């Protein structure tokens, strides 16, 4: 195609320029409405929820680590594109051509956001989990995989068909590097190897020494994939600077809904492996053989692993979020988020009954993710009270990181406990924790209300009765 959507019509959006932005479509930070007092306005910022004690309050969404609310900017960009929706890589019509341009321009936007190297491929997937399972499916034969037990299940579990070495939880950043170096030094130096590591923990929020781990991996002839699901929404991620071989993240953590993810990095293993899904789009040429079979020539581009009709809206939403974060400036976003982190941590430190979970200690760099337990409280009961009595949404459970939470709580690996479904009664300790998480769309008032609520619940107890229903703690009717 010779013309981009932006040159064909001034109304049609592209992944790089023409879509409306949150600066014109939504209240800016500092607007009269205190719910908008955040760098990047998000959907749901003015939603009122009922309290069991009576009345309503603006909902405080403090579960960003599970799914961040969509940026208003992203929603507006998608709405501007929606009338131009068409099939991608399939049609000769105007809308199909425009949608194809939008899809491929989005790939360029994501590559720029991640500071990819020349020759790196950006493959669009459904999520971080999908991305890492894709990489697991194309590992060379006899590849050895090294992964810390501290990983989210998305990066802990996909490698089970390979030869996996699970590494114990380190207690300092330096110990993480030393643990990996020892494990790699003991491996067969002649075979392929892959290290999988998180960028920021979805439990503690602590930022891992990714650059140092990448250097250790490469020094021992191994490659490394970065799970950036919790890092990319809070902190710049540069493939070049960190020197990682691949990076994976999810759109729904990055303020972009619609179920899309990214795997970006070196092309050789992706090109050599069988397509993740077999079907249209992945195939370049298909022909019947004389013996009745089928010969297939697969694409060597990212399309090799993008079979089926692409999720153009999901992909465009990721590109829009990448642009919004870049334009807002990570220096500004990080500085402001760190102020919120300090406010929460200092507030929790004033409550003797609260134990904040950490691997690397108080001085470790971290993003806006903090997990804790409260003496004398079942974590599910505490989270339910925060929601029902204060309009605050947090997460309780094992956060799909069971081995890590068990380690942090000092439990036996066989102790009972499920992610988000504790069996203990409201007043009984259980093997689970509470997680509060926030980001660029979080007003100060939300974290201030959270700290105040924690102090009141610990000091005075819940004002309502609760019961367990289908594995969840809920207000008793």
């Amino acid at each position: 195609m010779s013309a981009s959507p932006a040159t064909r019509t001034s109304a049609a959006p592209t992944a790089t320029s023409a879509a409306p932005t949150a600066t014109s479509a939504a209240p800016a930070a500092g607007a009269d409405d205190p719910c908008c007092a955040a760098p990047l306005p998000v959907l749901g910022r003015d939603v009122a929820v009922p309290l069991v004690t009576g009345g309503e309050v603006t909902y405080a969404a403090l579960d960003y680590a599970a799914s961040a609310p969509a940026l208003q900017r992203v929603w507006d960009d998608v709405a501007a594109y929606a009338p131009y929706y068409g099939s991608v890589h399939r049609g000769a019509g105007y809308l199909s051509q425009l949608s194809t341009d939008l899809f491929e321009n989005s790939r360029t936007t994501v590559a720029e956001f991640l500071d990819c190297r020349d020759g790196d491929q950006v493959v669009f997937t459904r999520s971080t989990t999908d991305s890492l399972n894709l990489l697991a499916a194309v590992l060379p034969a006899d590849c050895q995989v090294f992964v810390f037990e501290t990983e989210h299940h998305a990066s802990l579990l996909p490698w089970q068909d390979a030869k996996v070495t699970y590494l114990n939880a380190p207690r300092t950043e330096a110990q993480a590097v030393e643990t990996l170096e020892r494990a790699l030094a003991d491996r067969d130096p002649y075979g392929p190897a892959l290290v999988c590591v998180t960028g920021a923990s979805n439990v503690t929020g602590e930022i891992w020494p990714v650059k140092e781990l990448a250097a250790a991996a490469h020094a021992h002839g191994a490659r490394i994939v970065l799970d950036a699901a919790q890092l990319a929404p809070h902190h710049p991620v540069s493939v070049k600077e960190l020197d990682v071989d691949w990076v994976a993240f999810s759109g729904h953590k990055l303020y972009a809904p619609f179920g899309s993810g990214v795997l970006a990095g070196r092309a050789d293993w992706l090109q050599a492996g069988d397509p993740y899904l077999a079907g249209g789009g992945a195939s370049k040429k298909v022909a019947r053989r004389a013996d009745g079979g089928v010969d297939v020539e697969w694409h060597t581009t990212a399309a090799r692993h993008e079979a089926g009709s692409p999720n153009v809206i999901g992909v465009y939403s990721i590109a829009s979020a990448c642009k919004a974060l870049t334009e807002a400036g990570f220096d500004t976003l990080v500085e402001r988020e760190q102020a919120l982190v300090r406010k929460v941590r200092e507030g929790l430190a004033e409550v003797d009954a609260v134990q904040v979970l950490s691997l690397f200690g108080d001085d470790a760099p971290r993003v806006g993710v903090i997990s804790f337990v409260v003496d004398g409280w079942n974590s599910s009961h505490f989270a339910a009270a925060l929601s029902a009595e204060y309009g605050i949404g947090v997460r309780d459970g094992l956060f799909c990181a069971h081995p890590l939470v068990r380690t942090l709580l000092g439990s036996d690996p066989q102790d009972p406990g499920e992610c988000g479904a504790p069996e203990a009664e409201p007043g009984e300790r259980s093997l689970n924790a509470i997680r509060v998480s926030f980001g660029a769309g979080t007003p100060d008032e939300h974290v201030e209300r959270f700290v105040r609520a924690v102090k009141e619940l610990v000091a005075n107890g819940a004002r309502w009765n609760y019961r367990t229903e289908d594995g969840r703690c809920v207000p008793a009717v």
Side-chain angles (χ1 to χ4, degrees):
M1 295 176 60
S2 60
S4 69
T7 62
R8 283 193 286 264
T9 171
S10 59
T14 72
T16 56
S17 61
T21 65
T23 55
S24 61
D32 291 339
D33 183 353
C35 294
C36 296
L40 292 173
V42 295
L43 295 181
R45 61 189 180 275
D46 54 356
V47 169
V49 295
L51 303 179
V52 293
T53 52
E56 292 184 338
V57 67
T58 301
Y59 184 67
L62 297 179
D63 194 16
Y64 277 45
S67 283
L71 292 178
Q72 183 69 54
R73 155 74 173 273
V74 171
W75 198 257
D76 292 342
D77 282 355
V78 169
Y81 161 65
Y84 302 93
Y85 176 85
S87 62
V88 175
H89 300 150
R90 298 293 192 274
Y94 178 85
L95 298 190
S96 291
Q97 294 180 64
L98 187 148
S99 295
T100 298
D101 279 357
L102 194 76
F103 187 86
E104 294 303 333
N105 287 339
S106 295
R107 202 187 304 276
T108 300
T109 298
V110 172
E112 292 172 349
F113 178 75
L114 295 173
D115 192 24
C116 288
R117 299 164 294 247
D118 291 342
D120 281 346
Q121 287 188 347
V122 173
V123 180
F124 289 117
T125 66
R126 294 179 298 174
S127 59
T128 306
T129 302
D130 197 37
S131 296
L132 294 173
N133 275 273
L134 188 166
L135 187 60
V138 301
L139 293 180
D142 301 321
C143 185
Q144 299 178 67
V145 178
F146 297 83
V147 56
F148 287 94
E149 67 172 351
T150 48
E151 294 292 309
H152 185 280
H153 295 170
S155 48
L156 184 74
L157 301 180
W159 322 106
Q160 295 184 81
D161 289 338
K163 180 181 179 182
V164 188
T165 298
Y166 294 105
L167 307 176
N168 292 335
R171 285 301 183 167
T172 66
E173 296 98 320
Q175 189 179 77
V177 178
E178 293 166 1
T179 298
L180 179 61
E181 287 180 329
R182 286 196 301 271
L184 290 172
D186 291 339
R187 78 176 184 92
D188 179 355
Y190 300 106
L194 178 70
V195 176
C196 181
V197 67
T198 190
S201 171
N202 78 304
V203 177
T204 68
E206 292 163 317
I207 298 176
W208 279 59
V210 177
K211 188 172 184 177
E212 291 78 6
L213 290 167
H218 293 154
H220 290 276
R223 297 190 181 191
I224 185 168
V225 57
L226 169 63
D227 174 355
Q230 299 295 340
L231 185 62
H234 303 274
H235 196 278
V237 174
S238 169
V239 170
K240 290 178 184 175
E241 182 179 344
L242 295 173
D243 197 22
V244 293
D245 297 280
W246 292 278
V247 60
F249 70 87
S250 293
H252 74 101
K253 312 281 192 191
L254 196 79
Y255 310 99
F258 310 115
S260 283
V262 168
L263 176 66
R266 300 194 181 279
D268 54 350
W269 286 9
L270 296 173
Q271 292 174 349
D274 290 335
Y276 184 46
L277 296 172
S283 55
K284 187 175 182 180
K285 183 168 61 177
V286 179
R288 291 291 302 274
R289 296 195 306 264
D291 64 4
V294 173
D295 284 326
V296 183
E297 180 183 347
W298 303 106
H299 280 294
T300 58
T301 63
R304 184 183 187 89
H305 299 290
E306 295 176 344
S309 296
N311 179 3
V312 60
I313 287 182
V315 165
Y316 182 41
S317 70
I318 288 181
S320 174
C322 289
K323 280 178 58 63
L325 290 168
T326 300
E327 291 169 5
F330 266 113
D331 288 346
T332 300
L333 296 177
V334 169
E335 181 180 1
R336 196 256 179 178
E337 183 177 305
Q338 290 306 304
L340 296 182
V341 170
R342 288 192 295 273
K343 186 174 294 188
V344 173
R345 287 177 60 83
E346 289 170 1
L348 293 179
E350 295 173 359
V351 185
D352 291 339
V354 170
Q355 175 194 348
V356 174
L357 305 184
S358 176
L359 273 175
F360 300 151
D362 291 342
D363 296 332
R366 64 193 73 234
V367 300
V369 179
I370 299 166
S371 295
F372 62 98
V373 292
V374 183
D375 290 345
W377 283 81
N378 168 275
S379 292
S380 183
H381 181 205
F382 200 91
L386 286 173
S387 174
E389 300 177 29
Y390 295 90
I392 299 169
V394 297
R395 175 82 178 271
D396 66 281
L398 299 178
F399 318 126
C400 296
H402 295 193
L404 172 56
V405 178
R406 293 177 191 278
T407 294
L408 293 172
L409 293 179
S411 72
D412 185 275
Q414 302 304 315
D415 282 350
E418 298 179 43
C419 187
E423 296 298 333
E425 293 302 314
E428 178 185 347
R429 180 188 181 277
S430 61
L431 181 61
N432 63 340
I434 306 150
R435 183 181 70 191
V436 56
S437 52
F438 42 85
T442 305
D444 287 24
E445 188 275 331
H446 288 187
V447 298
E448 291 164 358
R449 191 196 319 171
F450 166 76
V451 170
R452 184 172 64 252
V454 170
K455 293 179 178 179
E456 290 179 2
L457 285 172
V458 171
N460 306 321
R463 291 173 287 172
W464 203 263
N465 292 322
Y466 296 82
R467 60 188 175 84
T468 300
E469 181 178 291
D470 296 328
R472 299 297 304 168
C473 194
V474 297
V477 179

